[in-house]
């Protein structure tokens, strides 16, 4: 049995207002590349590995990290250095 996963974004009005501010828009894939793996990113941010993988489709269609985790990512010097080197 297959399920068609649709984004609820098109059903919401003003969904663009939910986007993080410009300075905090860090894509999940870029953050994982900067850390080396999803498990390392989770360890650096102090969250579970499963939480990082739930930021990716099919669980979530927004390409950006959640706001609170983006702030933690930016405050981590090692991750930001690796992110800027990409």
């Amino acid at each position: 049995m297959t399920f068609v996963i649709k984004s609820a974004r098109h059903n919401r009005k003003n969904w663009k207002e939910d986007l993080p501010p410009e300075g905090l828009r860090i894509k999940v894939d870029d953050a994982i590349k900067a850390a080396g793996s999803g498990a390392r990113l989770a360890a650096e941010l102090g969250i579970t590995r499963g939480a990082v993988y739930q930021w990716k489709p099919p669980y979530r269609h927004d390409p950006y990290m959640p706001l609170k985790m983006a702030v933690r990512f930016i405050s981590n010097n090692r991750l930001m250095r690796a992110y800027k080197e990409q």
Side-chain angles (χ1 to χ4, degrees):
M1 179 185 301
T2 60
F3 296 97
V4 177
I5 299 172
K6 295 181 181 178
S7 175
R9 180 182 289 175
H10 69 277
N11 292 331
R12 297 184 318 202
K13 292 183 180 180
N14 304 323
W15 63 267
K16 290 184 179 182
E17 294 174 5
D18 292 340
L19 290 176
E22 285 289 331
L24 298 175
R25 288 185 186 175
I26 299 173
K27 292 189 176 183
V28 175
D29 292 332
D30 294 341
I32 290 173
K33 286 179 189 174
S37 71
R40 287 184 189 161
L41 178 62
E44 291 283 338
L45 296 178
I47 57 176
T48 63
R49 180 182 56 159
V52 171
Y53 290 108
Q54 286 184 351
W55 296 340
K56 298 177 79 173
Y59 305 108
R60 190 164 180 245
H61 292 279
D62 189 7
Y64 301 109
M65 293 176 65
L67 189 59
K68 184 177 179 181
M69 292 299 115
V71 170
R72 280 192 195 176
F73 185 87
I74 289 172
S75 65
N76 188 320
N77 292 330
R78 190 192 73 75
L79 288 175
M80 277 306 291
R81 217 174 312 121
Y83 179 73
K84 288 179 181 178
E85 289 175 359
Q86 289 182 8

